[in-house]
């Protein structure tokens, strides 16, 4: 019986046709890396417990790991004993939260992503110029609550084009828009277009609000999703950017796409009849969770993953200034 010269003799034709594509970039962005390191350094410097308001980043494995080291995650500041240290999450907080922390004499470390802080500054500037601000985002998301809190009398939430007909503004000539940093780029542009149809003089933010990492990960998943039988996105369910990656993959041509926290959540049935699997991860996902998915696939006959590079990322954010100051003092005193 002859063997296809294009197929190594130790592989069946089915195995030889299987492929795994791995998105690059994926996983941790600069803001997430900074936030996680902030909690780790705070624990090393001050000792446990260190309190964290909300999840430092939206990934249950990261949160569990920090909890095992002595971090205590709380929903609101009244759960933090007076005078203790509290870290604000990467998603940002409103001025009211800062005020509450001061009232309780809490030592605060602000791990808000600098790209989220940029949106806060834009909100304050537009409000100071007396614009009505349309904030595109998801109701209840910590980032949206923090941004809206900068100028609540000026900001109204717009979740999709369907909300646009109901928008009421004081002056159609003085309307600006901002957005949550972790949205789908395409969906956001669709919402902006609908708003501009109603308000042709709509003022844009001075630069993109959707962060570079969110955009890069969406571009990367588009590249690996075309003709993919299955796209696996590693990320937690409360991670907006991870959920968006599933949607972007399907829009780009993937036959199916699922989000999992880790390899244990992969359903074997997803792999039936599948040849091409693509893998990526959200911006708050440690690489070891992706490695676990790749190992799961390898155990089921899929080959080593081929990385598909669509962008290079080199951005690094400095740690929060209050933490840097205390670290310097500790080093000088040692």
């Amino acid at each position: 019986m002859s063997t296809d010269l294009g197929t190594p003799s130790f592989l069946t034709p089915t195995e030889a046709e299987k492929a795994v594509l791995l998105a690059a970039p994926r996983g941790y962005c600069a803001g997430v890396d900074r936030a996680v390191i902030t909690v780790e350094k705070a624990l090393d410097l001050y000792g446990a417990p260190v309190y964290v308001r909300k999840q430092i980043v939206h990934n249950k494995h990261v949160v569990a790991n920090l909890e095992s080291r002595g971090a205590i995650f709380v929903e609101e500041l009244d759960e933090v004993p007076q005078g203790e240290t509290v870290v604000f999450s990467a998603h940002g907080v409103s001025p009211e939260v800062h005020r509450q922390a001061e009232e309780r004499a809490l030592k605060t470390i602000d791990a808000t992503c600098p790209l989220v802080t940029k949106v806060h500054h834009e909100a304050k500037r537009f409000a100071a110029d007396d614009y009505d601000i349309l904030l595109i985002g998801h109701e209840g998301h910590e980032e949206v609550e923090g941004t809206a809190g900068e100028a609540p009398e000026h900001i109204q939430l717009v979740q999709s084009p369907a909300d646009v007909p109901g928008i009421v503004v004081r002056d159609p000539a003085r309307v600006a828009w901002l957005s949550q940093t972790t949205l789908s780029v395409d969906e956001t542009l669709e919402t902006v277009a609908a708003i501009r149809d109603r308000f042709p003089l709509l003022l844009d933010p001075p630069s993109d609000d959707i962060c570079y990492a969110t955009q890069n990960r969406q571009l990367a998943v588009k590249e690996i999703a075309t003709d993919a039988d299955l796209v696996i996105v590693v990320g937690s369910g409360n991670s907006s950017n991870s959920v968006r990656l599933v949607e972007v993959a399907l829009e780009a041509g993937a036959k199916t796409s699922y989000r999992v926290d880790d390899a244990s959540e992969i359903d074997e049935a997803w792999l039936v009849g599948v040849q091409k699997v693509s893998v990526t991860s959200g911006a708050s996902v440690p690489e070891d969770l992706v490695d676990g998915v790749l190992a799961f696939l390898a155990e089921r006959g899929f080959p080593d993953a081929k990385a598909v590079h669509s962008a290079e990322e080199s951005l690094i954010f400095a740690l929060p200034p209050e933490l840097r100051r205390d670290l310097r003092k500790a080093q000088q005193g040692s």
Side-chain angles (χ1 to χ4, degrees):
M1 184 171 66
S2 64
T3 302
D4 184 344
L5 294 177
T7 303
S9 58
F10 56 86
L11 292 179
T12 68
T14 300
E15 288 173 325
E17 292 164 8
K18 287 183 176 180
V20 179
L21 299 183
L22 183 61
R26 63 185 175 278
Y28 271 14
C29 63
V32 164
D33 195 43
R34 172 184 187 262
V36 174
I37 291 174
T38 293
V39 179
E40 292 173 342
K41 293 282 189 184
L43 286 165
D44 291 342
L45 183 60
Y46 309 123
V50 167
Y51 292 85
V52 184
R53 183 184 180 275
K54 308 290 186 181
Q55 291 190 358
I56 186 67
V57 296
H58 285 157
N59 185 272
K60 71 176 190 179
H61 290 281
V62 172
V63 169
N65 179 57
L66 292 173
E67 283 178 329
S68 72
R69 297 183 56 175
I72 297 177
F73 292 86
V74 299
E75 284 299 303
E76 298 300 344
L77 293 185
D78 58 10
E79 301 171 57
V80 182
Q82 266 193 303
E84 290 288 346
T85 299
V86 62
V87 178
F88 294 145
S89 80
H91 309 103
V93 299
S94 68
E96 173 61 18
V97 173
H98 284 285
R99 188 192 64 77
Q100 291 171 4
E102 192 173 339
E103 272 188 359
R104 296 183 59 76
L106 300 177
K107 177 182 177 62
T108 60
I109 300 172
D110 191 352
T112 301
C113 173
L115 299 180
V116 174
T117 300
K118 176 182 77 71
V119 181
H120 283 223
H121 290 324
E122 291 167 353
K124 288 187 284 189
R125 184 171 66 83
F126 283 144
D129 291 338
D130 203 29
Y131 275 78
D132 282 314
I133 303 165
L134 306 180
L135 176 58
I136 302 171
H138 298 297
E139 187 173 8
H141 192 282
E142 289 102 303
E143 185 184 327
V144 166
E145 292 176 349
T147 301
E150 293 288 358
E153 68 284 359
H154 286 267
I155 293 176
Q156 54 186 299
L157 181 64
V158 180
Q159 298 194 77
S160 73
D163 292 341
V164 173
I167 294 172
V168 177
V169 298
R170 294 168 298 159
D171 180 355
R174 297 187 69 77
V175 182
W177 71 274
L178 298 172
S179 82
Q180 184 180 327
T181 63
T182 55
L183 301 180
S184 159
V185 175
D186 295 338
E187 289 178 9
T188 301
L189 292 177
E190 183 184 349
T191 303
V192 171
I195 296 171
R196 200 178 303 280
D197 280 345
R198 276 206 63 195
F199 308 107
L201 298 179
L202 180 70
L203 188 62
D204 296 325
S207 60
D208 283 346
D209 282 349
I210 297 177
C211 86
Y212 78 96
T214 297
Q215 295 188 52
N216 284 349
R217 278 146 192 73
Q218 289 177 16
L219 289 171
V221 82
K222 285 179 181 179
E223 288 205 22
I224 64 170
T226 306
D227 300 326
D229 297 308
L230 169 66
V231 175
I232 298 174
V233 176
V234 186
S236 289
N238 62 340
S239 166
S240 177
N241 75 87
S242 298
V243 173
R244 298 290 84 72
L245 288 175
V246 173
E247 297 170 356
V248 172
L250 292 170
E251 290 166 0
K255 293 183 177 67
T256 57
S257 181
Y258 297 98
R259 180 203 55 77
V260 298
D261 265 293
D262 53 54
S264 70
E265 295 184 358
I266 298 175
D267 188 336
E268 299 261 5
W270 298 346
L271 302 177
V272 175
V274 164
Q275 295 295 107
K276 181 179 174 183
V277 181
S278 294
V279 179
T280 189
S281 60
S284 50
V285 177
E287 189 63 9
D288 64 302
L289 299 179
V290 176
D291 292 340
V293 168
L294 298 180
F296 179 97
L297 293 172
E299 289 166 4
R300 285 149 185 84
F302 285 86
D304 289 342
K306 175 186 175 184
V308 178
H309 294 268
S310 59
E312 295 297 327
E313 294 180 350
S314 57
L315 185 63
I316 298 173
F317 292 133
L319 292 173
E322 54 270 34
L323 180 60
R324 295 202 310 270
R325 182 187 62 240
D326 287 353
L327 286 168
R328 282 196 300 270
K329 286 180 181 176
Q331 288 167 355
Q332 290 165 0
S334 61

